Amino acid sequence: QVPLVESGGGLVQAGGSLRLSCAASGRTLSSSAMGWFRQGPGKEREFVAAISWNGGITEYAESVKGRFTISRDNAKNTVYLQGNSLKPEDTAIYYCAADPHTSWAPVRLSEYVYWGQGTQVTVSS
């Protein structure tokens, strides 16, 4: 088990920015692909962004491309999601996830093994 803890969520006005963090304890994430997913009210959990173990490969959902940036600091065992130009439709619970078996940046929810509890992001119009 790899406990993942998200932080940085909150309430922000449309057009604003937030930076989410995902930290692991008890095990290093440096060899794991990492992803961010989100689940809006009444919606299924969907892919947002992913990053390979060394940061060399990143993937983004079309809905966030150009506005969100995923990054990682393996020395701090932490992954980040910077969201800019936020829209009300970005309102969701954001989850980070780890896949220790993959060297690239998976986009499918089913590929991820470990999950955090989520952090709420609310974007007001």
Side-chain angles (χ1 to χ4, degrees), residues 14-123:
S17 299
L18 275 179
R19 189 174 84 152
L20 306 182
S21 300
C22 172
S25 61
R27 178 173 173 162
T28 180
L29 294 177
S30 61
S31 59
S32 298
M34 298 296 297
W36 284 95
F37 292 77
R38 67 186 182 185
Q39 188 164 12
K43 298 181 180 179
E44 293 186 352
R45 194 170 299 190
E46 65 177 4
F47 169 74
V48 176
I51 190 166
S52 61
W53 68 277
N54 64 352
I57 301 171
T58 56
E59 298 283 353
Y60 295 94
E62 284 298 322
S63 60
V64 306
K65 200 171 289 186
R67 299 187 299 120
F68 286 23
T69 302
I70 188 171
S71 62
R72 66 189 300 158
D73 185 340
N74 286 342
K76 295 182 178 180
N77 224 22
T78 301
V79 176
Y80 305 97
L81 183 69
Q82 175 71 42
N84 299 324
S85 301
L86 290 168
K87 305 175 181 180
E89 50 264 44
D90 294 318
T91 295
I93 299 173
Y94 283 71
Y95 300 89
C96 73
D99 178 0
H101 308 304
T102 303
S103 60
W104 58 90
V107 302
R108 292 186 300 180
L109 185 150
S110 60
E111 300 225 31
Y112 288 85
V113 177
Y114 305 112
W115 291 84
Q117 295 299 306
T119 185
Q120 176 71 48
V121 172
T122 303
V123 184

